[in-house]
Amino acid sequence: MPPEPTVSVVIPAYNMAGSLPRAIKSVLSQTYSDLELIVVDDGSRDDPAGAMAKIADPRLRMIRLKAKQGAAHARNTGAQSASGRLLAFLDADDYWLPEKLQAQMKCLEAAPQRARACCTGYLYCRPPAAEREVRLPNLGDGWLRRFLDVCQVSPGSTLLVEREVFLSLGGLDVDLERFEDWDWLLAYCSQYQLEVVSRPLAVVENSGWPSPETVLAAGEMILAKKSEFLRTSLGDEAIRRLASSVQIEVAIAHIKAGRHLAAAGSLLQAGQRSPGRLMDFILHALKWRLR
């Protein structure tokens, strides 16, 4: 039998046959090659197997789910089937630069023992003009407080984590239709340190936005799950800041749906919960618009 790979990469795919080959090739062409690649077909109506047919590589395999169960379930399925000590995720419409995994392996090798996961910077593509924004998350400690604001490291396409740690935290919450990675990172950062390679080593495509109702429901679930822990560890202001961040995400979803009056109402609620969080968001938005 061939030796088990060090890294298992999981790509969840639902109706992504068009972009899936690009994602797969970006993994298989990594300069760090001791890996397996598991594509989890989440009940697609298109033909992911056909899209993969011309890619001949023994490191590549597929798991097929009979019906769509969501990205969180697909990622968990891949993680449970993986054999690598380390686990990495990539969305089917995103892709990696060739040295992504190698840079993360070096980062984790040099990191303190409390660091059991690593993310990277990335290029964020905004449709329809395909504008590319370089996003380089800040380094250092204090990640739990930073994640009260936003899930800023795009873990669905940049996370490399010890598989045992991922599974010990329960994997991703399959009841969340949105923010399942944000929820998991809040749990991770309550126990461990997150390392970041401050280089854009993934390309993340914004392929759409969920409904405001979906965003609100997921945000309220996270608040219910995390409030007691946040109160104990960081105080009530942490809960208010997270609640404000949820309302900001709802406001963005309203804007994407053309509901500008509803967006204003959500921003008002965000300011009522944490004026400082709303001001930080406004300053960031202005900085982006003035570039």
Side-chain angles (χ1 to χ4, degrees), residues 3-291:
E4 292 183 345
T6 301
V7 179
S8 296
V9 183
V10 176
I11 299 179
Y14 176 71
N15 292 345
M16 286 289 175
S19 60
L20 182 59
R22 180 183 66 180
I24 290 172
K25 290 173 183 177
S26 79
V27 174
L28 298 178
S29 62
Q30 288 291 297
T31 56
Y32 184 89
S33 60
D34 184 15
L35 60 86
E36 67 173 346
L37 174 54
I38 305 167
V39 174
V40 182
D41 172 20
D42 191 22
S44 298
R45 296 190 300 271
D46 59 9
D47 184 18
M52 295 168 54
K54 294 182 180 180
I55 305 174
D57 194 304
R59 297 173 295 173
L60 173 64
R61 62 187 171 100
M62 174 183 278
I63 297 173
R64 283 188 157 180
L65 303 179
K66 292 182 179 180
K68 186 177 188 296
Q69 300 185 55
H73 180 86
R75 290 192 182 98
N76 288 347
T77 298
Q80 289 158 1
S81 175
S83 56
R85 178 178 62 84
L86 295 167
L87 191 62
F89 296 104
L90 175 61
D91 284 343
D93 51 347
D94 301 338
Y95 59 97
W96 290 344
L97 286 120
E99 64 274 22
K100 189 257 189 191
L101 282 181
Q102 188 167 32
Q104 287 184 286
M105 293 296 291
K106 289 181 179 178
C107 177
L108 283 180
E109 287 169 4
Q113 188 175 4
R114 284 189 62 245
R116 315 294 283 275
C118 175
C119 290
T120 75
Y122 57 98
L123 291 168
Y124 181 69
C125 297
R126 298 170 179 266
E131 296 178 354
R132 288 192 171 189
E133 175 188 357
V134 177
R135 294 191 174 182
L136 301 176
N138 295 326
L139 297 171
D141 293 327
W143 276 109
L144 183 57
R145 289 187 182 276
R146 289 195 182 102
F147 284 136
L148 298 176
D149 290 0
V150 67
C151 183
Q152 58 182 281
V153 293
S154 193
S157 288
T158 74
L159 178 66
L160 177 69
V161 60
E162 291 183 11
R163 180 171 171 268
E164 277 191 15
V165 169
F166 178 81
L167 295 175
S168 71
L169 293 171
L172 301 171
D173 188 338
V174 297
D175 292 327
L176 288 169
E177 294 185 51
R178 180 73 174 170
F179 304 142
E180 68 276 5
D181 48 1
W182 192 6
D183 173 71
W184 185 87
L185 279 170
L186 285 167
Y188 172 86
C189 288
S190 69
Q191 299 184 43
Y192 303 103
Q193 179 176 321
L194 180 69
E195 292 292 302
V196 173
V197 177
S198 192
R199 293 163 54 196
L201 295 174
V203 179
V204 175
E205 304 273 0
N206 185 336
S207 56
W209 203 267
S211 70
E213 293 76 18
T214 297
V215 172
L216 179 60
E220 288 181 339
M221 282 183 63
I222 292 176
L223 278 167
K225 290 175 62 178
K226 306 299 184 188
S227 287
E228 187 58 37
F229 161 72
L230 290 175
R231 181 178 289 110
T232 302
S233 59
L234 298 178
D236 287 342
E237 175 55 31
I239 301 172
R240 291 192 288 270
R241 192 164 182 104
L242 181 59
S244 179
S245 296
V246 168
Q247 288 299 325
I248 288 170
E249 294 294 323
V250 174
I252 294 170
H254 278 306
I255 291 171
K256 299 294 184 182
R259 307 175 189 173
H260 295 92
L261 185 59
S266 295
L267 289 175
L268 178 62
Q269 292 185 56
Q272 290 171 341
R273 285 162 172 78
S274 176
R277 171 66 184 111
L278 178 61
M279 183 57 64
D280 287 345
F281 168 73
I282 292 171
L283 290 174
H284 176 80
L286 287 173
K287 181 180 179 180
W288 166 253
R289 294 298 298 176
L290 291 173
R291 284 181 179 180

